[in-house]
Amino acid sequence: MARPIPWRREISAPFHVLQNELNRLMEEYWNPARLGPSEPPPMDLEPTGWSPAVDLIETADEIVLVAELPGVEPGSIDLSVTGNILSLRGVKNPDAPIEGHAPLRERQFGTFHRQIVLSNQVNFDAAQAEARLGVLRVKLPKQDVAKPRTIPVQNV
């Protein structure tokens, strides 16, 4: 009489462990909020929305935000500050349609919204923004931070 082969049931155990680990990693990737407190993504984005590329550069005197916004009218850009969050919103409208077949279509259109968390050292009242050739440059000067001072000790 043939003896049942018990290893066939046990061979699947490492695969279950691997599958569970992959499921956990995917869950952490798609739902990072479960890992700890973080800012929720903005909920006002349209499904067709896109996100402009930005650079945030910090110098000793200021923080500079540079955003690529090709084809966006500077007047349609909404730049606002709430607390220490800089919001960049706008719409990139498509060009007039061209008759014909489009075998390749990579350009993105629609609404965009980026939120950048800045340090509390920014003087938002002195902020300046300019758009040139599809590039937005926002200069945010830093506040005058309390400079170290010496306190003279008097002989009494």
Side-chain angles (χ1 to χ4, degrees), residues 22-45:
L22 288 173
N23 290 343
R24 184 188 64 78
L25 289 172
M26 292 303 290
E27 184 69 24
E28 287 178 8
Y29 178 77
W30 290 111
N31 297 318
R34 289 184 47 204
L35 298 177
S38 66
E39 286 188 39
M43 301 308 290
D44 57 348
L45 293 177

Side-chain angles (χ1 to χ4, degrees), residues 44-58:
D44 57 348
L45 293 177
E46 292 180 10
T48 59
W50 62 284
S51 186
V54 297
D55 290 336
L56 194 63
I57 301 134
E58 185 172 359

Side-chain angles (χ1 to χ4, degrees), residues 51-133:
S51 186
V54 297
D55 290 336
L56 194 63
I57 301 134
E58 185 172 359
T59 67
D61 299 327
E62 64 186 358
I63 295 175
V64 179
L65 173 79
V66 180
E68 291 183 355
L69 299 171
V72 177
E73 291 292 326
S76 71
I77 299 171
D78 177 22
L79 199 57
S80 62
V81 175
T82 305
N84 65 337
I85 298 175
L86 177 69
S87 292
L88 173 64
R89 299 176 192 253
V91 177
K92 181 178 178 184
N93 295 318
D95 300 331
I98 300 171
E99 294 294 324
H101 176 66
L104 180 62
R105 186 166 267 186
E106 295 179 345
R107 298 170 55 215
Q108 297 178 336
F109 301 98
T111 61
F112 61 88
H113 181 199
R114 290 291 307 258
Q115 291 182 322
I116 295 95
V117 179
L118 302 170
S119 69
N120 291 329
Q121 298 177 351
V122 175
N123 181 1
F124 292 107
D125 295 329
Q128 297 177 342
E130 62 182 29
R132 184 169 181 258
L133 300 174

